[in-house]
Amino acid sequence: LAGAVLMLLASLAAMRYLDTGRWRDAAVTGALCGAAFGMVLPALLVFILLPAMAVLRADRWPRRIGIVLLAIAVGGAVYAVTNPYVPINAVFHRDLLRSNLGNSGRFYAVKDLPAGLWNAIRLTIEGAGPVFAIAGVIGWLLLHFSPPALRKKLILLALPAVCVWLQSAL
């Protein structure tokens, strides 16, 4: 739950960056992405917000690249602070880190894609119920038929949710 909340806060910070274009807001977005990833491994996908927010804001490409690199650096630093054993083991105990990463990789490995997709669809329908299913359809329509400025913000809000759903399906 804490990881999900941090992912939502990262989406809100990315929306704020769209409004302001400030480096500070990009850094806050990166920090929240790093905190979410530090809380729970599957939240790594929230980092997709960083290039998305840079692409969705009209700006020069060198500045966009700088914004993304800054946000990634801040997010990586926050992850390292919240999980100090990772950089420590990377330097002093590489075999232990390699073993831990191997275990995580096997845990999150894709095994049966069609069955996973069907299971994710079934659980989404069962878990959502009719009220939330209708709300989801309305949200999807809002995304497509909203003014461009609002559409960009809705994309930043939906992007982590879609990625997490796809990750669950895989």
Side-chain angles (χ1 to χ4, degrees):
L1 183 59
V5 170
L6 288 166
M7 290 173 77
L8 287 171
L9 287 172
S11 293
L12 290 173
M15 289 180 208
R16 185 177 185 103
Y17 169 77
L18 280 185
D19 289 338
T20 66
R22 293 186 315 204
W23 290 83
R24 178 183 175 275
D25 293 325
V28 168
T29 304
L32 289 166
C33 289
F37 180 42
M39 184 64 63
V40 57
L41 283 178
L44 172 64
L45 297 176
V46 77
F47 277 92
I48 197 164
L49 285 174
L50 305 179
M53 73 180 188
V55 168
L56 290 173
R57 181 169 170 78
D59 213 339
R60 298 177 334 275
W61 278 103
R63 187 172 192 280
R64 288 178 183 182
I65 292 169
I67 287 288
V68 172
L69 292 176
L70 168 74
I72 288 172
V74 171
V78 169
Y79 174 79
V81 167
T82 57
N83 291 281
Y85 58 86
V86 174
I88 289 170
N89 286 341
V91 174
F92 298 111
H93 307 286
R94 291 183 185 197
D95 289 339
L96 180 61
L97 180 63
R98 194 174 301 119
S99 173
N100 287 341
L101 293 175
N103 288 338
S104 295
R106 285 187 292 281
F107 181 75
Y108 291 109
V110 177
K111 293 173 183 68
D112 186 3
L113 184 58
L117 284 171
W118 173 246
N119 192 42
I121 291 168
R122 184 181 60 79
L123 290 173
T124 300
I125 291 169
E126 187 175 321
V131 173
F132 284 111
I134 292 168
V137 170
I138 291 169
W140 187 255
L141 291 173
L142 280 174
L143 181 63
H144 288 326
F145 298 111
S146 61
L150 179 60
R151 184 178 314 128
K152 290 177 181 182
K153 290 181 179 183
L154 291 173
I155 288 169
L156 289 176
L157 184 62
L159 197 57
V162 169
C163 287
V164 167
W165 187 89
L166 287 173
Q167 185 180 37
S168 298
L170 293 174

mmCIF file of all heavy atoms in Angstrom, residues 3 15 29 32 37 47-48 51-52 58 70 81 86 93 107-108 115 121 128 145 149-150 159 164:
data_model
loop_
_atom_site.group_PDB
_atom_site.id
_atom_site.type_symbol
_atom_site.label_atom_id
_atom_site.label_comp_id
_atom_site.label_asym_id
_atom_site.label_seq_id
_atom_site.Cartn_x
_atom_site.Cartn_y
_atom_site.Cartn_z
ATOM 1 N N GLY A 3 3.848 1.597 -1.217
ATOM 2 C CA GLY A 3 4.423 1.736 -2.553
ATOM 3 C C GLY A 3 3.431 2.325 -3.537
ATOM 4 O O GLY A 3 3.776 3.176 -4.363
ATOM 5 N N MET A 15 2.766 15.581 -12.729
ATOM 6 C CA MET A 15 1.765 16.541 -13.218
ATOM 7 C C MET A 15 2.174 17.966 -12.866
ATOM 8 O O MET A 15 2.007 18.883 -13.669
ATOM 9 C CB MET A 15 0.399 16.235 -12.609
ATOM 10 C CG MET A 15 -0.254 14.997 -13.112
ATOM 11 S SD MET A 15 -1.852 14.806 -12.278
ATOM 12 C CE MET A 15 -2.024 13.053 -12.326
ATOM 13 N N THR A 29 9.809 14.441 -8.366
ATOM 14 C CA THR A 29 9.221 13.270 -9.026
ATOM 15 C C THR A 29 10.194 12.098 -8.983
ATOM 16 O O THR A 29 9.805 10.967 -8.650
ATOM 17 C CB THR A 29 8.856 13.598 -10.482
ATOM 18 O OG1 THR A 29 7.979 14.723 -10.514
ATOM 19 C CG2 THR A 29 8.169 12.415 -11.150
ATOM 20 N N LEU A 32 10.360 10.620 -5.458
ATOM 21 C CA LEU A 32 9.189 9.793 -5.139
ATOM 22 C C LEU A 32 9.230 8.458 -5.883
ATOM 23 O O LEU A 32 8.818 7.430 -5.335
ATOM 24 C CB LEU A 32 7.905 10.560 -5.441
ATOM 25 C CG LEU A 32 7.623 11.705 -4.465
ATOM 26 C CD1 LEU A 32 6.549 12.632 -5.006
ATOM 27 C CD2 LEU A 32 7.216 11.150 -3.103
ATOM 28 N N PHE A 37 10.135 2.626 -5.400
ATOM 29 C CA PHE A 37 10.938 1.449 -5.733
ATOM 30 C C PHE A 37 11.634 0.909 -4.489
ATOM 31 O O PHE A 37 11.763 -0.309 -4.316
ATOM 32 C CB PHE A 37 11.937 1.816 -6.828
ATOM 33 C CG PHE A 37 12.835 0.692 -7.260
ATOM 34 C CD1 PHE A 37 12.362 -0.587 -7.437
ATOM 35 C CD2 PHE A 37 14.174 0.938 -7.520
ATOM 36 C CE1 PHE A 37 13.198 -1.620 -7.856
ATOM 37 C CE2 PHE A 37 15.020 -0.076 -7.938
ATOM 38 C CZ PHE A 37 14.531 -1.354 -8.103
ATOM 39 N N PHE A 47 9.250 4.494 -12.672
ATOM 40 C CA PHE A 47 10.264 5.329 -13.323
ATOM 41 C C PHE A 47 9.896 5.676 -14.766
ATOM 42 O O PHE A 47 10.504 6.560 -15.351
ATOM 43 C CB PHE A 47 11.638 4.655 -13.256
ATOM 44 C CG PHE A 47 12.359 4.888 -11.961
ATOM 45 C CD1 PHE A 47 12.226 4.001 -10.911
ATOM 46 C CD2 PHE A 47 13.170 5.995 -11.787
ATOM 47 C CE1 PHE A 47 12.894 4.203 -9.717
ATOM 48 C CE2 PHE A 47 13.837 6.214 -10.597
ATOM 49 C CZ PHE A 47 13.701 5.323 -9.553
ATOM 50 N N ILE A 48 8.892 4.996 -15.320
ATOM 51 C CA ILE A 48 8.433 5.342 -16.666
ATOM 52 C C ILE A 48 7.856 6.756 -16.704
ATOM 53 O O ILE A 48 7.779 7.384 -17.759
ATOM 54 C CB ILE A 48 7.421 4.305 -17.196
ATOM 55 C CG1 ILE A 48 7.293 4.438 -18.711
ATOM 56 C CG2 ILE A 48 6.065 4.458 -16.518
ATOM 57 C CD1 ILE A 48 6.649 3.264 -19.380
ATOM 58 N N PRO A 51 10.641 9.751 -18.218
ATOM 59 C CA PRO A 51 10.685 10.134 -19.635
ATOM 60 C C PRO A 51 9.325 10.608 -20.152
ATOM 61 O O PRO A 51 9.262 11.483 -21.015
ATOM 62 C CB PRO A 51 11.149 8.869 -20.351
ATOM 63 C CG PRO A 51 10.888 7.760 -19.417
ATOM 64 C CD PRO A 51 10.954 8.330 -18.029
ATOM 65 N N ALA A 52 8.250 10.049 -19.597
ATOM 66 C CA ALA A 52 6.913 10.458 -20.054
ATOM 67 C C ALA A 52 6.654 11.930 -19.748
ATOM 68 O O ALA A 52 6.166 12.671 -20.603
ATOM 69 C CB ALA A 52 5.841 9.579 -19.414
ATOM 70 N N ALA A 58 6.289 20.448 -23.632
ATOM 71 C CA ALA A 58 6.970 21.062 -24.770
ATOM 72 C C ALA A 58 8.224 21.779 -24.278
ATOM 73 O O ALA A 58 8.145 22.691 -23.452
ATOM 74 C CB ALA A 58 6.040 22.045 -25.476
ATOM 75 N N LEU A 70 18.487 14.039 -14.346
ATOM 76 C CA LEU A 70 18.433 14.533 -12.965
ATOM 77 C C LEU A 70 17.451 13.710 -12.144
ATOM 78 O O LEU A 70 17.771 13.254 -11.040
ATOM 79 C CB LEU A 70 18.020 16.007 -12.933
ATOM 80 C CG LEU A 70 17.662 16.537 -11.541
ATOM 81 C CD1 LEU A 70 18.917 16.726 -10.711
ATOM 82 C CD2 LEU A 70 16.858 17.809 -11.639
ATOM 83 N N VAL A 81 19.536 5.167 -0.509
ATOM 84 C CA VAL A 81 19.421 5.544 0.905
ATOM 85 C C VAL A 81 18.401 4.656 1.617
ATOM 86 O O VAL A 81 18.603 4.257 2.762
ATOM 87 C CB VAL A 81 19.047 7.040 1.042
ATOM 88 C CG1 VAL A 81 18.615 7.389 2.451
ATOM 89 C CG2 VAL A 81 20.214 7.907 0.614
ATOM 90 N N VAL A 86 21.943 -2.641 -0.707
ATOM 91 C CA VAL A 86 22.196 -2.894 -2.133
ATOM 92 C C VAL A 86 23.544 -2.299 -2.549
ATOM 93 O O VAL A 86 24.395 -3.024 -3.080
ATOM 94 C CB VAL A 86 21.030 -2.387 -3.011
ATOM 95 C CG1 VAL A 86 21.367 -2.511 -4.490
ATOM 96 C CG2 VAL A 86 19.751 -3.159 -2.699
ATOM 97 N N HIS A 93 30.019 -7.382 -1.128
ATOM 98 C CA HIS A 93 29.513 -8.767 -1.161
ATOM 99 C C HIS A 93 28.765 -9.012 -2.472
ATOM 100 O O HIS A 93 27.555 -9.229 -2.484
ATOM 101 C CB HIS A 93 28.563 -9.022 0.015
ATOM 102 C CG HIS A 93 29.130 -8.675 1.345
ATOM 103 N ND1 HIS A 93 30.079 -9.443 1.966
ATOM 104 C CD2 HIS A 93 28.894 -7.635 2.175
ATOM 105 C CE1 HIS A 93 30.412 -8.907 3.123
ATOM 106 N NE2 HIS A 93 29.706 -7.796 3.272
ATOM 107 N N PHE A 107 11.573 -15.066 -9.131
ATOM 108 C CA PHE A 107 10.246 -14.843 -8.556
ATOM 109 C C PHE A 107 9.354 -14.095 -9.532
ATOM 110 O O PHE A 107 8.162 -14.364 -9.627
ATOM 111 C CB PHE A 107 10.372 -14.062 -7.243
ATOM 112 C CG PHE A 107 9.061 -13.810 -6.565
ATOM 113 C CD1 PHE A 107 8.399 -14.834 -5.902
ATOM 114 C CD2 PHE A 107 8.482 -12.556 -6.592
ATOM 115 C CE1 PHE A 107 7.188 -14.607 -5.276
ATOM 116 C CE2 PHE A 107 7.270 -12.319 -5.967
ATOM 117 C CZ PHE A 107 6.623 -13.344 -5.305
ATOM 118 N N TYR A 108 9.930 -13.120 -10.262
ATOM 119 C CA TYR A 108 9.140 -12.303 -11.171
ATOM 120 C C TYR A 108 9.220 -12.765 -12.618
ATOM 121 O O TYR A 108 8.842 -12.039 -13.522
ATOM 122 C CB TYR A 108 9.585 -10.835 -11.076
ATOM 123 C CG TYR A 108 9.228 -10.214 -9.754
ATOM 124 C CD1 TYR A 108 10.214 -9.906 -8.816
ATOM 125 C CD2 TYR A 108 7.910 -9.941 -9.421
ATOM 126 C CE1 TYR A 108 9.888 -9.341 -7.591
ATOM 127 C CE2 TYR A 108 7.578 -9.385 -8.207
ATOM 128 C CZ TYR A 108 8.575 -9.078 -7.298
ATOM 129 O OH TYR A 108 8.244 -8.530 -6.102
ATOM 130 N N ALA A 115 -2.194 -17.577 -19.806
ATOM 131 C CA ALA A 115 -2.888 -17.836 -18.538
ATOM 132 C C ALA A 115 -2.800 -16.628 -17.622
ATOM 133 O O ALA A 115 -3.771 -16.287 -16.933
ATOM 134 C CB ALA A 115 -2.299 -19.063 -17.851
ATOM 135 N N ILE A 121 -7.270 -10.416 -16.273
ATOM 136 C CA ILE A 121 -8.568 -9.903 -16.751
ATOM 137 C C ILE A 121 -9.682 -10.372 -15.822
ATOM 138 O O ILE A 121 -10.535 -9.591 -15.394
ATOM 139 C CB ILE A 121 -8.827 -10.349 -18.206
ATOM 140 C CG1 ILE A 121 -7.851 -9.631 -19.145
ATOM 141 C CG2 ILE A 121 -10.271 -10.090 -18.608
ATOM 142 C CD1 ILE A 121 -7.823 -10.204 -20.552
ATOM 143 N N ALA A 128 -13.248 -5.417 -9.570
ATOM 144 C CA ALA A 128 -13.764 -4.063 -9.817
ATOM 145 C C ALA A 128 -15.249 -3.967 -9.514
ATOM 146 O O ALA A 128 -15.703 -3.010 -8.900
ATOM 147 C CB ALA A 128 -13.498 -3.656 -11.260
ATOM 148 N N PHE A 145 -11.138 12.057 -24.732
ATOM 149 C CA PHE A 145 -11.888 13.217 -25.197
ATOM 150 C C PHE A 145 -11.670 14.474 -24.354
ATOM 151 O O PHE A 145 -12.399 15.437 -24.491
ATOM 152 C CB PHE A 145 -13.384 12.881 -25.256
ATOM 153 C CG PHE A 145 -13.682 11.773 -26.221
ATOM 154 C CD1 PHE A 145 -14.094 10.533 -25.777
ATOM 155 C CD2 PHE A 145 -13.523 11.973 -27.586
ATOM 156 C CE1 PHE A 145 -14.355 9.502 -26.674
ATOM 157 C CE2 PHE A 145 -13.784 10.956 -28.487
ATOM 158 C CZ PHE A 145 -14.195 9.721 -28.034
ATOM 159 N N ALA A 149 -4.247 19.592 -22.359
ATOM 160 C CA ALA A 149 -3.530 19.787 -21.094
ATOM 161 C C ALA A 149 -3.984 18.774 -20.046
ATOM 162 O O ALA A 149 -3.161 18.198 -19.325
ATOM 163 C CB ALA A 149 -3.732 21.209 -20.582
ATOM 164 N N LEU A 150 -5.286 18.532 -19.954
ATOM 165 C CA LEU A 150 -5.808 17.546 -19.008
ATOM 166 C C LEU A 150 -5.442 16.136 -19.444
ATOM 167 O O LEU A 150 -5.124 15.283 -18.610
ATOM 168 C CB LEU A 150 -7.328 17.686 -18.869
ATOM 169 C CG LEU A 150 -8.018 16.711 -17.934
ATOM 170 C CD1 LEU A 150 -7.473 16.846 -16.514
ATOM 171 C CD2 LEU A 150 -9.523 16.924 -17.959
ATOM 172 N N LEU A 159 -0.549 5.904 -16.504
ATOM 173 C CA LEU A 159 0.623 5.146 -16.943
ATOM 174 C C LEU A 159 1.138 4.145 -15.894
ATOM 175 O O LEU A 159 1.317 2.964 -16.211
ATOM 176 C CB LEU A 159 1.718 6.116 -17.378
ATOM 177 C CG LEU A 159 2.854 5.579 -18.213
ATOM 178 C CD1 LEU A 159 2.348 4.912 -19.483
ATOM 179 C CD2 LEU A 159 3.809 6.704 -18.575
ATOM 180 N N VAL A 164 1.514 -1.486 -13.891
ATOM 181 C CA VAL A 164 1.356 -2.446 -12.794
ATOM 182 C C VAL A 164 0.391 -3.562 -13.199
ATOM 183 O O VAL A 164 0.622 -4.740 -12.911
ATOM 184 C CB VAL A 164 0.892 -1.743 -11.501
ATOM 185 C CG1 VAL A 164 0.426 -2.737 -10.453
ATOM 186 C CG2 VAL A 164 2.019 -0.885 -10.953
#
